[in-house]
Amino acid sequence: MRLPSHAGRTPGGHAPPGRAAALFGKLGIRARLTLTYGSMLFVGGTLLLTVGYLLRVFGYLVADRALRPVAKMTATARKLSESTLAHQRLDLQGPDDELKELADTFDSMLTRLNSAFNSQRRFVANASHQLSWPGANGSSRAASRWTSTTWR
């Protein structure tokens, strides 16, 4: 097999420098192509791994930013108790998207829970006041009339 007249040159037409040029020039065309494809595969694989890693980091940062309001909602829900229900709200700022709508719904639910707790407190206070009234314990004549088995 006879080598073409441009033997010892790279596909770009330039001779490789120094010792590599002598070694490269002695190789056959098939060996040169294999060497070129092997280096292309190495560079391509390295580039692919690097881009994959960068995309992974970028995806993590985007997901972290997107899920930050959910983490805030979870932390607020865990900190809530009956005593902090009156003044603790999410008050999420940002664009009107699904997470903002969820936060606003959560805030309105906390408001309704707070009013329910206040209503319950008032009921218990009224009931305890009624039970502490002297006529409520059966000592009055009217109360004893209702508690006796016969009507007087």
XYZ file of all heavy atoms in Angstrom, residues 47-152:
835
model
N -15.903 16.501 27.653
C -16.820 17.627 27.509
C -18.231 17.247 27.957
O -18.907 18.018 28.645
C -16.828 18.107 26.058
C -17.623 19.358 25.757
C -17.022 20.545 26.490
C -17.658 19.617 24.274
N -18.648 16.050 27.600
C -19.980 15.584 27.995
C -20.101 15.470 29.511
O -21.105 15.905 30.098
C -20.277 14.231 27.343
C -21.644 13.632 27.619
C -22.725 14.484 26.957
C -21.704 12.208 27.099
N -19.094 14.922 30.168
C -19.121 14.817 31.631
C -19.112 16.194 32.292
O -19.829 16.424 33.271
C -17.933 13.991 32.121
C -18.009 12.490 31.838
C -16.716 11.806 32.272
C -19.195 11.882 32.542
N -18.332 17.100 31.752
C -18.270 18.450 32.319
C -19.608 19.165 32.172
O -20.103 19.772 33.123
C -17.159 19.258 31.632
O -15.934 18.552 31.772
C -17.032 20.641 32.236
N -20.187 19.098 30.984
C -21.482 19.733 30.758
C -22.558 19.075 31.628
O -23.415 19.757 32.201
C -21.853 19.699 29.261
C -23.297 20.096 29.031
C -20.925 20.600 28.469
N -22.509 17.763 31.753
C -23.470 17.066 32.615
C -23.367 17.509 34.058
O -24.381 17.723 34.730
N -22.147 17.659 34.552
C -21.952 18.117 35.924
C -22.461 19.545 36.097
O -23.132 19.860 37.089
C -20.473 18.026 36.307
C -20.189 18.526 37.692
C -20.527 17.769 38.809
C -19.610 19.770 37.900
C -20.294 18.230 40.092
C -19.370 20.248 39.173
C -19.706 19.469 40.259
O -19.473 19.932 41.518
N -22.149 20.412 35.138
C -22.614 21.798 35.229
C -24.141 21.879 35.176
O -24.748 22.670 35.900
C -21.998 22.640 34.111
C -20.500 22.914 34.243
C -19.995 23.648 33.014
C -20.190 23.679 35.503
N -24.767 21.061 34.337
C -26.230 21.037 34.280
C -26.825 20.523 35.589
O -27.875 20.992 36.027
C -26.704 20.190 33.113
C -26.561 20.830 31.736
C -26.961 19.844 30.649
C -27.392 22.088 31.641
N -26.168 19.570 36.211
C -26.644 19.054 37.499
C -26.603 20.150 38.559
O -27.541 20.335 39.329
C -25.794 17.869 37.922
C -26.219 17.254 39.212
C -25.363 16.074 39.553
N -25.765 15.530 40.833
C -25.090 14.623 41.474
N -23.994 14.122 40.962
N -25.506 14.185 42.639
N -25.504 20.883 38.617
C -25.378 21.979 39.585
C -26.426 23.058 39.298
O -27.090 23.555 40.209
C -23.945 22.562 39.565
C -23.859 23.853 40.347
C -22.962 21.547 40.103
N -26.585 23.412 38.023
C -27.572 24.414 37.638
C -28.984 23.950 38.006
O -29.782 24.730 38.534
C -27.465 24.693 36.137
C -28.457 25.689 35.643
C -28.336 27.030 35.948
C -29.529 25.282 34.868
C -29.258 27.954 35.495
C -30.460 26.192 34.409
C -30.324 27.529 34.723
N -29.303 22.698 37.745
C -30.617 22.157 38.098
C -30.858 22.178 39.594
O -31.967 22.477 40.048
N -29.837 21.862 40.368
C -29.972 21.900 41.825
C -30.263 23.322 42.299
O -31.123 23.543 43.157
C -28.697 21.373 42.487
C -28.717 21.491 43.984
C -29.428 20.575 44.759
C -28.056 22.529 44.633
C -29.464 20.690 46.137
C -28.095 22.646 45.998
C -28.793 21.723 46.757
O -28.830 21.857 48.104
N -29.552 24.302 41.746
C -29.760 25.690 42.156
C -31.154 26.180 41.769
O -31.816 26.872 42.553
C -28.693 26.586 41.534
C -27.262 26.377 42.039
C -26.289 27.230 41.248
C -27.153 26.653 43.518
N -31.614 25.822 40.579
C -32.950 26.245 40.141
C -34.024 25.579 41.002
O -34.979 26.230 41.443
C -33.152 25.923 38.643
C -34.602 26.071 38.231
C -32.269 26.822 37.801
N -33.876 24.285 41.274
C -34.857 23.583 42.105
C -34.861 24.127 43.527
O -35.926 24.263 44.142
C -34.556 22.084 42.111
N -33.688 24.449 44.045
C -33.610 25.011 45.394
C -34.336 26.350 45.460
O -35.087 26.612 46.397
C -32.144 25.186 45.801
C -32.002 25.706 47.212
O -32.582 25.090 48.129
O -31.319 26.731 47.403
N -34.145 27.169 44.458
C -34.813 28.476 44.429
C -36.320 28.315 44.261
O -37.105 29.041 44.869
C -34.237 29.322 43.312
C -34.858 30.681 43.219
C -34.177 31.512 42.145
N -34.955 32.674 41.802
C -34.797 33.864 42.345
N -33.896 34.030 43.275
N -35.541 34.874 41.969
N -36.726 27.353 43.450
C -38.155 27.153 43.207
C -38.863 26.579 44.432
O -40.031 26.884 44.679
C -38.358 26.234 42.014
N -38.177 25.763 45.206
C -38.805 25.110 46.357
C -38.602 25.864 47.666
O -39.087 25.432 48.710
C -38.286 23.682 46.486
C -38.689 22.755 45.348
C -38.050 21.391 45.528
C -40.196 22.630 45.255
N -37.915 26.991 47.641
C -37.703 27.778 48.864
C -39.016 28.210 49.516
O -39.140 28.128 50.747
C -36.822 28.976 48.553
C -36.240 29.620 49.789
C -35.230 30.676 49.437
N -34.099 30.085 48.732
C -33.414 30.701 47.785
N -33.741 31.918 47.427
N -32.395 30.113 47.203
N -40.040 28.659 48.764
C -41.312 29.009 49.413
C -41.988 27.816 50.098
O -42.597 27.968 51.149
C -42.176 29.532 48.259
C -41.221 29.953 47.217
C -40.041 29.052 47.351
N -41.846 26.636 49.527
C -42.429 25.444 50.147
C -41.727 25.148 51.469
O -42.370 24.796 52.462
C -42.356 24.234 49.190
C -42.862 22.978 49.854
C -43.127 24.521 47.914
N -40.424 25.313 51.488
C -39.679 25.107 52.742
C -40.099 26.129 53.794
O -40.219 25.806 54.981
C -38.178 25.192 52.475
N -40.346 27.376 53.364
C -40.808 28.409 54.299
C -42.184 28.063 54.850
O -42.445 28.226 56.046
C -40.842 29.765 53.596
C -41.250 30.901 54.496
C -41.283 32.220 53.759
C -41.758 33.324 54.676
N -41.917 34.589 53.981
N -43.074 27.566 53.978
C -44.411 27.159 54.439
C -44.327 26.029 55.452
O -45.021 26.036 56.466
C -45.258 26.713 53.242
C -45.717 27.811 52.359
S -46.753 27.136 51.059
C -46.124 27.998 49.657
N -43.472 25.062 55.171
C -43.314 23.926 56.080
C -42.776 24.375 57.432
O -43.275 23.953 58.481
C -42.370 22.890 55.452
O -42.879 22.510 54.177
C -42.237 21.661 56.325
N -41.782 25.243 57.423
C -41.211 25.732 58.691
C -42.246 26.521 59.483
O -42.350 26.371 60.708
C -39.986 26.592 58.402
N -43.044 27.339 58.803
C -44.079 28.115 59.499
C -45.144 27.202 60.075
O -45.582 27.393 61.213
C -44.719 29.124 58.527
O -43.693 29.970 58.017
C -45.762 29.968 59.223
N -45.559 26.205 59.320
C -46.577 25.275 59.807
C -46.075 24.499 61.022
O -46.847 24.217 61.943
C -46.974 24.314 58.696
N -44.807 24.174 61.061
C -44.257 23.454 62.215
C -44.165 24.345 63.451
O -44.280 23.870 64.569
C -42.880 22.905 61.872
C -42.941 21.704 60.987
C -41.613 21.033 60.848
N -41.749 19.863 59.981
C -40.862 19.487 59.109
N -39.744 20.150 58.977
N -41.062 18.429 58.358
N -43.931 25.652 63.252
C -43.787 26.567 64.385
C -45.122 27.013 64.962
O -45.151 27.557 66.059
C -42.998 27.808 63.967
C -41.531 27.564 63.763
C -40.765 28.857 63.600
C -41.170 29.585 62.352
N -40.376 30.777 62.073
N -46.210 26.795 64.233
C -47.501 27.303 64.685
C -47.987 26.583 65.932
O -47.828 25.380 66.091
C -48.552 27.121 63.592
C -48.524 28.124 62.465
C -49.563 27.758 61.444
C -48.766 29.515 62.986
N -48.590 27.351 66.806
C -49.287 26.802 67.967
C -50.493 27.689 68.216
O -50.697 28.684 67.532
C -48.361 26.765 69.187
O -48.064 28.080 69.592
N -51.288 27.346 69.193
C -52.494 28.125 69.469
C -52.147 29.560 69.859
O -52.852 30.499 69.500
C -53.290 27.457 70.582
C -54.578 28.151 70.905
C -55.311 27.496 72.052
O -54.984 26.364 72.412
O -56.204 28.153 72.585
N -51.040 29.748 70.541
C -50.696 31.094 70.995
C -50.117 31.959 69.870
O -50.285 33.171 69.876
C -49.700 31.016 72.151
O -48.524 30.368 71.726
N -49.441 31.369 68.897
C -48.850 32.155 67.814
C -49.761 32.238 66.595
O -49.384 32.857 65.601
C -47.509 31.560 67.371
O -47.734 30.251 66.855
C -46.517 31.529 68.499
N -50.928 31.641 66.671
C -51.823 31.590 65.528
C -52.334 32.969 65.143
O -52.619 33.228 63.978
C -53.000 30.665 65.857
C -53.859 30.166 64.720
C -53.018 29.369 63.747
C -54.979 29.300 65.251
N -52.434 33.889 66.095
C -53.009 35.198 65.827
C -52.096 36.093 64.990
O -52.578 36.913 64.230
C -53.331 35.895 67.140
N -50.805 35.938 65.096
C -49.913 36.871 64.414
C -48.916 36.213 63.465
O -48.108 36.891 62.868
C -49.156 37.714 65.442
C -48.293 36.905 66.353
N -48.795 36.131 67.352
C -46.958 36.752 66.397
C -47.811 35.534 67.985
N -46.694 35.891 67.425
N -48.948 34.920 63.299
C -47.994 34.238 62.430
C -48.647 33.954 61.076
O -49.652 33.262 60.997
C -47.560 32.920 63.072
C -46.503 32.198 62.305
C -45.147 32.358 62.929
O -45.062 32.594 64.107
N -44.123 32.245 62.152
N -48.070 34.516 60.016
C -48.557 34.305 58.656
C -47.368 34.109 57.726
O -46.244 34.514 58.031
C -49.391 35.492 58.163
C -50.659 35.743 58.939
C -51.668 34.620 58.722
N -52.906 34.870 59.416
C -53.190 34.458 60.639
N -52.292 33.803 61.322
N -54.356 34.689 61.187
N -47.626 33.524 56.572
C -46.566 33.337 55.581
C -46.226 34.639 54.876
O -45.064 34.978 54.715
C -46.989 32.309 54.533
C -47.114 30.873 55.020
C -47.639 30.005 53.911
C -45.784 30.364 55.496
N -47.234 35.348 54.412
C -47.074 36.614 53.703
C -46.007 36.495 52.617
O -45.024 37.233 52.586
C -46.732 37.742 54.685
C -46.870 39.103 54.024
O -47.731 39.235 53.130
O -46.109 40.008 54.381
N -46.211 35.526 51.732
C -45.261 35.247 50.659
C -45.323 36.339 49.600
O -46.395 36.700 49.131
C -45.585 33.889 50.033
C -44.581 33.324 49.054
C -43.281 33.008 49.777
C -45.118 32.072 48.408
N -44.170 36.886 49.255
C -44.076 37.911 48.222
C -43.558 37.256 46.944
O -42.789 36.314 46.985
C -43.106 39.020 48.650
C -43.471 39.690 49.952
C -44.825 40.370 49.897
O -45.193 40.955 48.889
N -45.582 40.263 50.975
N -43.965 37.786 45.802
C -43.463 37.263 44.542
C -44.545 37.258 43.486
O -45.612 37.861 43.662
N -44.280 36.577 42.386
C -45.250 36.554 41.287
C -46.502 35.771 41.669
O -46.469 34.916 42.558
C -44.487 35.860 40.153
C -43.464 35.032 40.839
C -43.086 35.783 42.084
N -47.595 36.076 40.994
C -48.852 35.368 41.259
C -48.831 34.016 40.559
O -49.335 33.847 39.451
C -50.050 36.200 40.776
C -50.302 37.389 41.670
O -49.930 37.318 42.850
O -50.864 38.378 41.181
N -48.231 33.045 41.207
C -48.187 31.697 40.658
C -48.855 30.734 41.635
O -49.521 31.150 42.585
C -46.744 31.289 40.352
C -45.838 31.347 41.580
O -46.307 31.776 42.642
O -44.670 30.960 41.467
N -48.702 29.467 41.387
C -49.374 28.455 42.211
C -48.892 28.479 43.654
O -49.678 28.279 44.580
C -49.158 27.056 41.611
C -49.875 26.812 40.308
C -49.095 27.327 39.109
O -47.943 27.788 39.290
O -49.646 27.296 37.998
N -47.598 28.717 43.860
C -47.078 28.740 45.234
C -47.606 29.936 46.010
O -47.915 29.827 47.198
C -45.546 28.752 45.210
C -44.895 27.449 44.773
C -43.387 27.600 44.721
C -45.275 26.314 45.687
N -47.719 31.084 45.359
C -48.291 32.266 46.031
C -49.750 32.025 46.370
O -50.226 32.392 47.450
C -48.144 33.497 45.135
C -48.793 34.739 45.687
C -47.791 35.805 45.934
C -48.388 37.141 46.281
N -49.124 37.197 47.490
N -50.474 31.382 45.442
C -51.885 31.066 45.711
C -52.002 30.096 46.883
O -52.878 30.247 47.741
C -52.511 30.466 44.454
C -53.989 30.216 44.571
C -54.583 29.672 43.275
O -53.955 29.805 42.219
O -55.692 29.107 43.356
N -51.115 29.113 46.944
C -51.117 28.174 48.065
C -50.812 28.893 49.381
O -51.459 28.644 50.403
C -50.095 27.065 47.819
C -49.933 26.024 48.916
C -51.219 25.230 49.093
C -48.782 25.097 48.590
N -49.848 29.802 49.362
C -49.502 30.546 50.579
C -50.660 31.438 51.021
O -50.956 31.532 52.219
C -48.246 31.383 50.341
N -51.335 32.083 50.064
C -52.482 32.924 50.420
C -53.619 32.088 50.990
O -54.292 32.490 51.950
C -52.967 33.706 49.197
C -51.966 34.753 48.749
O -51.067 35.096 49.550
O -52.073 35.215 47.593
N -53.847 30.909 50.430
C -54.865 30.001 50.956
C -54.509 29.553 52.367
O -55.369 29.484 53.253
C -55.015 28.772 50.033
O -55.304 29.228 48.712
C -56.104 27.845 50.511
N -53.229 29.271 52.579
C -52.764 28.864 53.910
C -52.965 29.998 54.913
O -53.406 29.764 56.045
C -51.293 28.460 53.819
C -50.753 27.826 55.064
C -51.061 26.524 55.392
C -49.922 28.545 55.909
C -50.559 25.942 56.547
C -49.418 27.974 57.057
C -49.741 26.669 57.376
N -52.666 31.237 54.502
C -52.867 32.389 55.383
C -54.341 32.582 55.737
O -54.685 32.861 56.890
C -52.324 33.664 54.739
C -50.813 33.734 54.763
O -50.198 32.982 55.534
O -50.252 34.549 54.002
N -55.236 32.423 54.750
C -56.665 32.570 55.044
C -57.155 31.434 55.944
O -58.019 31.640 56.799
C -57.483 32.644 53.755
O -57.411 31.427 53.048
N -56.585 30.235 55.784
C -56.949 29.130 56.676
C -56.506 29.442 58.104
O -57.239 29.180 59.067
C -56.294 27.832 56.203
C -56.625 26.641 57.093
S -55.621 25.191 56.774
C -54.010 25.752 57.235
N -55.323 30.033 58.267
C -54.857 30.410 59.606
C -55.761 31.475 60.224
O -56.028 31.447 61.433
C -53.414 30.913 59.543
C -52.353 29.875 59.222
C -50.985 30.526 59.153
C -52.353 28.748 60.228
N -56.249 32.398 59.408
C -57.175 33.419 59.906
C -58.467 32.771 60.383
O -58.996 33.115 61.449
C -57.456 34.447 58.801
O -56.204 35.011 58.380
C -58.374 35.538 59.284
N -58.996 31.836 59.605
C -60.218 31.140 60.017
C -59.993 30.310 61.279
O -60.850 30.277 62.172
C -60.727 30.239 58.879
C -61.268 31.018 57.701
C -61.998 30.119 56.710
N -61.227 28.971 56.267
C -60.449 28.943 55.190
N -60.326 30.017 54.438
N -59.803 27.854 54.860
N -58.850 29.659 61.371
C -58.532 28.900 62.591
C -58.428 29.824 63.803
O -58.897 29.479 64.899
C -57.221 28.133 62.422
C -57.290 26.785 61.745
C -55.888 26.237 61.521
C -58.099 25.809 62.568
N -57.823 30.980 63.615
C -57.698 31.928 64.706
C -59.069 32.387 65.186
O -59.326 32.467 66.393
C -56.847 33.123 64.270
C -56.538 34.048 65.416
O -56.356 33.616 66.541
N -56.499 35.338 65.129
N -59.978 32.690 64.252
C -61.319 33.117 64.666
C -62.068 31.962 65.335
O -62.833 32.184 66.281
C -62.094 33.663 63.475
O -62.331 32.651 62.531
N -61.842 30.727 64.885
C -62.476 29.576 65.534
C -61.950 29.401 66.964
O -62.729 29.128 67.892
C -62.241 28.313 64.726
N -60.646 29.570 67.153
C -60.088 29.477 68.504
C -60.625 30.597 69.395
O -60.941 30.368 70.573
C -58.553 29.525 68.476
C -57.910 28.192 68.266
C -57.124 27.962 67.150
C -58.075 27.169 69.178
C -56.520 26.739 66.954
C -57.473 25.943 68.998
C -56.696 25.715 67.875
N -60.737 31.798 68.845
C -61.297 32.908 69.641
C -62.753 32.636 70.006
O -63.177 32.906 71.141
C -61.179 34.221 68.876
C -59.759 34.716 68.829
O -58.935 34.347 69.666
N -59.464 35.542 67.836
N -63.521 32.112 69.090
C -64.911 31.761 69.365
C -64.990 30.692 70.454
O -65.837 30.762 71.354
C -65.573 31.269 68.077
O -66.822 30.721 68.333
N -64.109 29.721 70.375
C -64.087 28.662 71.396
C -63.707 29.243 72.757
O -64.298 28.875 73.779
C -63.101 27.574 70.988
C -63.069 26.397 71.938
C -62.015 25.380 71.538
O -61.086 25.678 70.808
N -62.167 24.167 72.047
N -62.749 30.157 72.801
C -62.363 30.781 74.070
C -63.532 31.552 74.682
O -63.766 31.498 75.886
C -61.179 31.726 73.841
C -59.858 31.040 73.723
C -58.708 32.049 73.697
N -57.553 31.438 73.069
C -57.099 31.719 71.862
N -57.652 32.658 71.153
N -56.057 31.094 71.368
N -64.263 32.296 73.834
C -65.424 33.036 74.335
C -66.489 32.085 74.866
O -67.099 32.328 75.912
C -66.009 33.912 73.215
C -65.238 35.173 72.964
C -66.008 36.149 72.089
N -66.411 35.581 70.815
C -65.662 35.566 69.715
N -64.470 36.121 69.746
N -66.117 35.029 68.602
N -66.723 30.984 74.161
C -67.719 30.019 74.616
C -67.330 29.424 75.967
O -68.156 29.316 76.870
C -67.887 28.899 73.589
C -68.761 27.784 74.060
C -70.144 27.929 74.088
C -68.220 26.584 74.501
C -70.958 26.913 74.527
C -69.025 25.560 74.950
C -70.404 25.722 74.966
N -66.082 29.056 76.109
C -65.619 28.476 77.378
C -65.712 29.502 78.498
O -66.121 29.179 79.629
C -64.183 27.926 77.219
C -63.578 27.561 78.562
C -64.184 26.728 76.300
N -65.366 30.754 78.200
C -65.466 31.803 79.221
C -66.917 32.017 79.636
O -67.220 32.139 80.830
C -64.859 33.099 78.701
N -67.840 32.067 78.653
C -69.258 32.225 78.976
C -69.795 31.034 79.747
O -70.554 31.187 80.705
C -70.087 32.439 77.712
C -69.863 33.802 77.105
O -69.412 34.712 77.780
N -70.162 33.927 75.822
N -69.408 29.836 79.342
C -69.883 28.636 80.033
C -69.360 28.579 81.468
O -70.098 28.241 82.400
C -69.457 27.386 79.264
N -68.115 28.938 81.662
C -67.577 28.914 83.026
C -68.229 30.006 83.876
O -68.461 29.809 85.075
C -66.060 29.084 83.005
O -65.712 30.369 82.551
N -68.576 31.139 83.267
C -69.276 32.188 84.009
C -70.669 31.709 84.395
O -71.114 31.925 85.531
C -69.368 33.459 83.157
C -70.217 34.521 83.787
N -69.804 35.219 84.902
C -71.453 34.984 83.471
C -70.752 36.077 85.245
N -71.770 35.958 84.387
N -71.355 31.050 83.474
C -72.700 30.551 83.767
C -72.657 29.479 84.849
O -73.539 29.413 85.704
C -73.357 29.992 82.502
C -73.656 31.037 81.446
C -74.678 32.052 81.902
O -75.593 31.730 82.662
N -74.503 33.291 81.469
N -71.643 28.652 84.814
C -71.543 27.589 85.826
C -71.130 28.132 87.187
O -71.393 27.507 88.210
C -70.554 26.522 85.369
C -71.027 25.674 84.184
C -69.922 24.726 83.745
C -72.286 24.902 84.534
N -70.486 29.285 87.216
C -70.098 29.852 88.509
C -71.234 30.671 89.129
O -71.142 31.084 90.274
C -68.857 30.739 88.341
O -69.179 31.870 87.550
N -72.323 30.907 88.427
C -73.465 31.638 88.936
C -74.157 30.786 90.002
O -74.325 29.566 89.824
C -74.402 31.944 87.761
C -75.631 32.714 88.105
C -75.708 33.967 88.603
C -76.972 32.257 87.949
N -76.998 34.338 88.778
C -77.810 33.296 88.384
C -77.552 31.071 87.508
C -79.187 33.183 88.390
C -78.916 30.967 87.494
C -79.730 32.029 87.934
N -74.585 31.349 91.135
C -75.142 30.539 92.233
C -76.371 29.744 91.827
O -76.584 28.638 92.322
C -75.508 31.567 93.303
C -74.761 32.787 92.969
C -74.475 32.749 91.520
N -77.173 30.247 90.922
C -78.369 29.511 90.539
C -78.074 28.308 89.669
O -78.916 27.432 89.503
N -76.878 28.239 89.132
C -76.557 27.146 88.220
C -76.215 25.859 88.955
O -76.243 24.797 88.356
C -75.387 27.545 87.328
N -75.923 25.934 90.247
C -75.537 24.709 90.947
C -76.725 24.018 91.629
O -76.548 23.073 92.387
C -74.419 24.993 91.949
C -74.834 25.975 93.013
O -76.017 26.329 93.099
N -73.884 26.400 93.820
N -77.943 24.507 91.407
C -79.130 23.833 91.942
C -79.556 24.296 93.304
O -80.418 23.687 93.929
N -78.983 25.390 93.834
C -79.335 25.836 95.174
C -80.583 26.704 95.187
O -81.181 26.891 96.226
C -78.159 26.603 95.785
O -77.906 27.755 95.010
N -80.975 27.223 94.072
C -82.170 28.066 94.069
C -83.417 27.210 93.970
O -83.387 26.041 93.607
C -82.106 29.059 92.915
O -82.322 28.392 91.702
N -84.526 27.839 94.306
C -85.792 27.127 94.305
C -86.216 26.724 92.893
O -86.693 25.621 92.667
C -86.842 28.045 94.903
C -87.895 27.319 95.556
C -88.693 28.260 96.405
N -89.826 27.475 96.826
C -90.973 27.955 97.131
N -91.155 29.244 97.097
N -91.938 27.173 97.490
N -85.989 27.615 91.923
C -86.369 27.322 90.542
C -85.519 26.194 89.986
O -86.014 25.323 89.280
C -86.229 28.563 89.684
N -84.277 26.202 90.340
C -83.412 25.157 89.840
C -83.751 23.827 90.480
O -83.701 22.783 89.837
C -81.961 25.521 90.099
N -84.134 23.841 91.776
C -84.472 22.577 92.421
C -85.792 22.043 91.896
O -86.024 20.846 91.904
C -84.520 22.749 93.944
O -85.558 23.645 94.297
N -86.703 22.939 91.434
C -87.964 22.484 90.878
C -87.713 21.662 89.615
O -88.366 20.654 89.401
C -88.841 23.674 90.550
C -90.144 23.264 89.917
C -91.019 24.423 89.621
N -91.558 24.941 90.853
C -92.273 26.048 90.957
N -92.504 26.779 89.878
N -92.764 26.447 92.085
N -86.766 22.092 88.796
C -86.486 21.384 87.559
C -85.722 20.100 87.812
O -85.802 19.161 87.035
C -85.679 22.253 86.607
C -86.478 23.377 86.043
C -86.429 24.667 86.414
C -87.479 23.289 85.051
N -87.314 25.430 85.718
C -88.008 24.587 84.834
C -88.040 22.249 84.309
C -88.992 24.879 83.947
C -89.041 22.547 83.393
C -89.505 23.841 83.218
N -84.988 20.021 88.915
C -84.177 18.827 89.192
C -84.958 17.779 89.970
O -84.540 16.639 90.010
C -82.935 19.195 89.976
O -83.295 19.837 91.182
C -82.019 20.089 89.161
N -86.059 18.157 90.599
C -86.810 17.153 91.381
C -87.603 16.270 90.428
O -87.860 16.609 89.280
C -87.740 17.843 92.359
O -88.743 18.517 91.653
N -88.022 15.143 90.935
C -88.730 14.185 90.084
C -90.208 14.530 89.974
O -90.860 14.112 89.044
C -88.591 12.769 90.656
O -89.031 12.764 92.007
C -87.146 12.325 90.568
N -90.754 15.275 90.948
C -92.163 15.659 90.870
C -92.271 17.148 90.699
O -91.446 17.908 91.192
C -92.924 15.238 92.139
O -92.315 15.876 93.248
C -92.882 13.746 92.298
N -93.318 17.584 90.040
C -93.539 19.006 89.811
C -94.210 19.596 91.013
O -95.199 19.045 91.507
C -94.398 19.170 88.555
C -94.607 20.601 88.200
C -95.701 21.321 88.511
C -93.723 21.437 87.514
N -95.569 22.585 88.052
C -94.332 22.686 87.419
C -92.464 21.286 86.966
C -93.751 23.763 86.816
C -91.893 22.361 86.365
C -92.545 23.589 86.283
N -93.771 20.711 91.580
C -94.398 21.311 92.749
C -95.329 22.378 92.362
O -95.253 23.177 91.545
C -93.350 21.868 93.684
C -92.515 20.773 94.253
C -91.547 21.365 95.233
N -90.586 20.345 95.570
C -89.505 20.548 96.213
N -89.208 21.736 96.618
N -88.709 19.594 96.507
